[in-house]
Every structure is written in structure tokens, then in C-alpha cells.
Amino acid sequence: CTEHYAEKYYNRADVQKAMHANVTGIPYKWTACSDVLIKNWKDSESSMLPIYKELMAAGLRIWVFSGDTDSVVPVTATRFSLSHLNLTVKTRWYPWYLDNQVGGWSEVYNGLTFATVRGAGHEVPLFQPKRAFILFRSFLAGKELPKS
Amino acid sequence: TKEQELDRISALPGQPTVTFSQFSGYITVNEEHGRALFYWFIEATSIPYKKPLVLWLNGGPGCSSVAYGASEEIGPFRIDRTGSSLYLNKYSWNTEANILFLESPAGVGFSYTNTSSDLIDSGDKRTAEDALVFLIRWFSRFPQYKYRDFYIAGESYAGHYVPQLAKKIHDYYKEDSHPIINLKGFIVGNAVTDNYHDGIGTVTFWWSHSMISDTTYRSILNNCNFKDDNKTSKECDDSVNYAINHEFGYIDQYSIYTPACI
């Protein structure tokens, strides 16, 4: 229910003033998700894989992670999609660790790192904040997730 | 810059005392239609001038990076259940980087348009275009971040926003050996990636996690081809709706083992 807290907080006049927000008097309440936008969304590319290939070739660091208790965009969806890239494995599938527990699993390809986060839902940092933090720190450092 | 100082947040209501700086406000991305995007920028807790810059985008499409990314995922504050005060997030990502949250596209959260028809013809293309304009103008307002190592992060439908914006930036600076927006990479989570493979993988997850019956699994695979974008058959819709309405039960589909929000 955490998004209900945000709906309360960001609709307060003192909060909007402190954030220099809503200066034009938007004619609707602030809300976490806009029904109008999602119901009327027009162009949506069917696949991101061509862009992935192009940006991998350009040398960008690309990490894809997946909380493994999400059923909306689940880990198997991402694995099927990435498998379609036919990437070369650099570091074979291994469990990554945090606090002597398996934080998830990871496989490193030429140009892309994939990692799962064990026990996390769609919003990984909400459900597994420490594991998400280690994932982020490893990404910024360009280092593989810890093997022990 | 003066504009930067006008956006400085002295303190949020109910906020604990912190040492890092934060700014929020609007950047116009289209004068003709009057589209302006709202951002919240939270500097790193220590030596921000040495830390990378990370743009965080939530998905939806139509959902707010302030509501999710900043307030319940990676930001420094959590909102208490009464909505009256904030407490610190021990694993905030702004210990490692300067974090920029963007409410995109116009119509999300505090981001607005003066042309109401914009709200019913948004899509991937204009969202990426406006986000690039936003970034170019944001770096003008925060010149101390020009040339800084820059990353984009996001989840869910931002599995579209993030690579599409990354491509726009890459193309924009293709001829520039010293780009102001110094994009080094991106990271996405539970990301919408490829309609066909995502679709097959989603139904496979439902079956392999015992959320649906064999009968329903076969029915969905037989009736849904996942290839035709935006066009599904009635039989496909009926199969998926039966699964959700009669077999899932009252669960939080975004986290199937934790309590659903009543």
C-alpha cells in the first residue's frame, strides 16, 4: 500500500510549495500513475532488442536485472527475450552472494550483464533494498556481482 | 546558476535533517504546446562533485518516478503511512551517485502540458524526444554536471524509455568526442523488452509458479500469438482473463509471495 502514502504526501500544499511543484495549478490531483496516459498510449515499439544490439556495439555498459517474484514482467520473460540476442557467455551462470546468502543468480555476456534478485518483486529496491544496492554499486563499478 | 538556486529545496515538510542538497522544479520541453517536465534532483551524500549522475525512470507507461523510484525504491526518504513525515532509507542509492528523478512524459505526476490533446496521443517516440530536450536543458541549468559519467536506470515500461533515450543521446553526440551528456551505460529491472518473448515468458512463469492450471496454460498458448502488437483475439483475452479472475486469486501480481494491499 506504500503508493497510498505518496498520494497523501505529494498532494499536500506545503509539500508542493517546498518542491516548487504544481506552479500552474494542474487541474487534477497528483497521482502515482496516470490512467489517461496509459489508456491512450499510442506508439510502442514491439522490441528493444535492436537498440540493445546497437548500443552494445557502441560500448555502453548494459545491465538487466529481474526480481524473481514478479509475475507482471517476470524473470522468465526477460530470459526468453535476452536469449533471443544470442550473446556470447563471458562468465557462466553463477549464484551471487550477500551476507552469506544467495542474493540471486547472474551470467555475464560480452556487452551485457544479466542478474536476478532473489525474493524481489517488480520494484526490486522496495522488496530487497540491500541486494538492490549491491547490484547498483557493482553496476557503477563495472564489476561482476560478488561470488561469495 | 540562478535558475539552479531557485530550484533548491531548503527542506521538505516532515523531513529529517540531511547533509546532501536537493533541487526540484520544471524544465520546459516544448514551448508551442506548453509541455514541461518535473524533476527532483538529489545529490550524493558525500563529495557529489566526484560521483556519477544517474537518471531514474519508472514505467507504466504513465507512472511517476517521484511516487515509485524516489519514494519507495532508491531515494533517501520513505513516506510514513500517514503521509505526514519522512524517514531515511538506509539503502538509498544517493550514497553512490547523484540521482535525478524525472516525471515523464507530460501528464505524469507534476509534469504538465497546456495542450490537453497531448495527454491522449503520447507514445514512445515523443517521450524519448522530450526526455532528450529535458536533459540538454537540465545540464544548462546544472553546468557542474556537464561531462560527468552519466547512467540511466529504470524498471518496467522504462524498459522502453531507457534504451530509447540512450539511443537518442548516443545519436545526438555521435560526432562529439567530448559529449556534455557523457552516457556510459544503463541498467533496467523487470523491463518490458520484447513483446513476443516477454509474452511467452510471462505465461511460462504463471504456469511454472503454479498460478494457473495446465488447461489454462494450453488455452493461452493456443489462442494468444503475442506477435500482433495491440491486436489480441477474443479467445486470447478470454483465456488470460479467466486466469487472472478465476485462478490467480487475490494476490499482488507484482510480488506474488507478499500480502496484497487491501
Side-chain angles (χ1 to χ4, degrees):
Chain A
C1 299
T2 43
E3 70 204 55
H4 299 176
Y5 311 161
E7 297 270 347
K8 287 177 195 162
Y9 190 74
Y10 294 112
N11 278 299
R12 285 172 40 179
D14 57 342
V15 171
Q16 293 181 3
K17 185 171 186 303
M19 296 188 86
H20 326 110
N22 199 7
V23 295
T24 61
I26 297 171
Y28 46 81
K29 272 182 58 167
W30 180 93
T31 180
C33 289
S34 161
D35 282 343
V36 173
L37 280 177
I38 195 165
K39 283 177 182 149
N40 294 283
W41 198 257
K42 290 295 179 287
D43 56 295
S44 173
E45 287 186 272
S46 62
S47 181
M48 292 295 106
L49 298 182
I51 294 182
Y52 272 62
K53 286 178 184 161
E54 182 183 344
L55 295 179
M56 285 161 60
L60 260 62
R61 181 184 306 157
I62 298 177
W63 282 42
V64 177
F65 64 94
S66 190
D68 62 9
T69 68
D70 173 29
S71 74
V72 176
V73 188
V75 57
T76 41
T78 300
R79 291 185 70 183
F80 271 133
S81 293
L82 294 184
S83 68
H84 196 60
L85 286 170
N86 297 309
L87 300 174
T88 305
V89 175
K90 210 166 87 175
T91 305
R92 281 196 62 176
W93 192 271
Y94 69 94
W96 65 271
Y97 283 86
L98 172 63
D99 299 339
N100 300 313
Q101 291 287 325
V102 171
W105 287 266
S106 179
E107 189 154 73
V108 182
Y109 307 99
N110 288 339
L112 183 145
T113 293
F114 172 69
T116 75
V117 180
R118 187 164 67 94
H122 195 68
E123 295 177 78
V124 170
L126 169 62
F127 293 100
Q128 290 290 344
K130 190 170 184 181
R131 289 176 181 167
F133 181 76
I134 296 303
L135 177 81
F136 178 60
R137 197 163 63 178
S138 302
F139 165 72
L140 286 184
K143 288 186 181 141
E144 295 187 359
L145 285 155
K147 292 181 171 64
S148 63
Chain B
T1 62
K2 184 166 160 293
E3 278 185 309
Q4 184 176 134
E5 280 315 306
L6 288 173
D7 283 355
R8 182 181 292 275
I9 296 174
S10 49
L12 291 172
Q15 169 202 308
T17 305
V18 293
T19 57
F20 53 82
S21 294
Q22 45 180 337
F23 305 81
S24 60
Y26 286 96
I27 288 193
T28 299
V29 293
N30 184 291
E31 284 79 2
E32 186 191 342
H33 278 221
R35 285 198 301 272
L37 299 186
F38 181 80
Y39 77 89
W40 183 5
F41 178 52
I42 298 170
E43 287 198 322
T45 49
S46 64
I47 49 172
Y49 48 87
K50 284 196 172 177
K51 295 276 174 59
L53 174 67
V54 174
L55 168 67
W56 173 274
L57 294 168
N58 277 98
C63 294
S64 160
S65 304
V66 167
Y68 295 99
S71 306
E72 57 182 49
E73 295 187 85
I74 69 167
F77 306 120
R78 289 280 189 273
I79 302 170
D80 83 317
R81 65 179 54 242
T82 64
S84 58
S85 69
L86 305 174
Y87 59 94
L88 291 176
N89 167 20
K90 185 180 171 188
Y91 297 108
S92 174
W93 288 16
N94 81 317
T95 55
E96 300 295 310
N98 303 281
I99 315 282
L100 176 58
F101 296 97
L102 174 62
E103 291 196 308
S104 168
V108 171
F110 292 122
S111 295
Y112 67 85
T113 176
N114 293 330
T115 306
S116 52
S117 60
D118 285 346
L119 299 179
I120 53 174
D121 63 8
S122 278
D124 286 7
K125 184 171 178 294
R126 192 172 73 206
T127 299
E129 289 163 355
D130 281 0
L132 177 63
V133 172
F134 167 84
L135 278 178
I136 291 166
R137 294 179 178 179
W138 187 87
F139 278 92
S140 296
R141 192 173 297 181
F142 290 84
Q144 68 268 40
Y145 283 92
K146 289 181 177 177
Y147 313 108
R148 185 78 61 90
D149 281 3
F150 175 63
Y151 299 92
I152 312 175
E155 84 193 14
S156 196
Y157 196 80
H160 276 214
Y161 297 157
V162 170
Q164 288 166 337
L165 176 56
K167 173 171 170 50
K168 278 252 175 273
I169 295 167
H170 173 68
D171 293 349
Y172 186 83
Y173 286 104
K174 202 163 240 177
E175 308 309 328
D176 193 331
S177 60
H178 191 44
I180 287 175
I181 304 179
N182 185 18
L183 179 64
K184 310 298 275 185
F186 65 80
I187 181 170
V188 289
N190 295 79
V192 177
T193 306
D194 176 90
N195 289 357
Y196 176 70
H197 293 94
D198 285 353
I200 299 280
T202 300
V203 179
T204 303
F205 184 93
W206 292 352
W207 181 76
S208 63
H209 285 67
S210 306
M211 294 166 66
I212 59 174
S213 62
D214 295 0
T215 309
T216 299
Y217 180 54
R218 275 195 296 273
S219 168
I220 293 174
L221 289 184
N222 291 337
N223 292 314
C224 303
N225 72 13
F226 303 110
K227 274 196 188 298
D228 294 349
D229 301 337
N230 308 323
K231 277 198 304 295
T232 61
S233 67
K234 182 178 178 317
E235 293 77 13
C236 172
D237 287 346
D238 290 349
S239 306
V240 173
N241 288 334
Y242 181 82
I244 293 173
N245 298 324
H246 297 283
E247 295 189 342
F248 274 17
Y250 194 70
I251 61 166
D252 176 356
Q253 294 179 37
Y254 291 94
S255 174
I256 63 173
Y257 301 126
T258 51
C261 179
I262 308 298

